[in-house]
Amino acid sequence: MEMQAFSGTNSTPATGRNDIYKLPVEILIQIFLSAYLTSEHYTRFQLPFKLVSVTSFWRKLVLSEPRLWTYTFYGKARFEPQPTPPIQSFLFQLSQSGSRPLEIAIDLRWKKEFIDELIDAILLH
């Protein structure tokens, strides 16, 4: 990640003062990574998508950190399997992960063509 673009601390939002906005960017990234790496499968998959919706600064930070996009989970979790895999989010994660090694979990109860679509995307990456 290019630290020049995010050096220093992030700015306090207009809505009020919050101590998390005083943290150096490097610490904030480590907090995100710690949460990401210690979460269960479905939560770990969702975490970067949730973080990008907090503030525009966090969105830029999370989108610039490929390590937050290296795990993808398409399976039952706490819900029934989805009728179709969310291929667009999968392709987005692949692009965000850069050249980092990926960890991919796929629920094999999906129809064969859905699984084939995911595998094709992986092979093109």
Side-chain angles (χ1 to χ4, degrees), residues 5-125:
F6 297 106
S7 61
T9 58
N10 55 45
S11 59
T12 305
T15 57
R17 189 174 167 105
N18 189 331
D19 288 338
I20 198 164
Y21 292 97
K22 296 178 183 177
L23 290 174
V25 169
E26 296 81 3
I27 300 293
L28 195 54
I29 290 170
Q30 288 306 310
I31 291 169
F32 292 165
L33 286 169
S34 179
Y36 181 73
L37 295 172
T38 59
S39 296
E40 66 171 79
H41 297 290
Y42 193 70
T43 302
R44 186 172 174 194
F45 163 73
Q46 290 183 319
L47 185 64
F49 292 101
K50 290 182 183 250
L51 290 173
V52 297
S53 67
V54 176
T55 67
S56 62
F57 181 81
W58 282 24
R59 180 175 23 267
K60 290 176 190 172
L61 192 60
V62 170
L63 290 174
S64 71
E65 181 50 68
R67 293 175 291 178
L68 291 170
W69 300 97
T70 58
Y71 178 79
T72 187
F73 175 75
Y74 294 98
K76 187 173 181 181
R78 291 177 217 122
F79 311 100
E80 290 302 312
Q82 298 174 5
T84 60
I87 192 69
Q88 293 304 323
S89 64
F90 182 71
L91 294 173
F92 180 77
Q93 282 183 279
L94 285 177
S95 69
Q96 289 303 117
S97 65
S99 61
R100 296 264 178 197
L102 302 173
E103 183 179 350
I104 302 168
I106 300 172
D107 187 338
L108 296 177
R109 292 176 290 177
W110 275 330
K111 293 181 181 179
K112 183 181 180 325
E113 61 267 18
F114 299 150
I115 295 170
D116 288 346
E117 187 176 14
L118 290 173
I119 291 172
D120 287 345
I122 294 165
L123 293 175
L124 289 173
H125 182 69

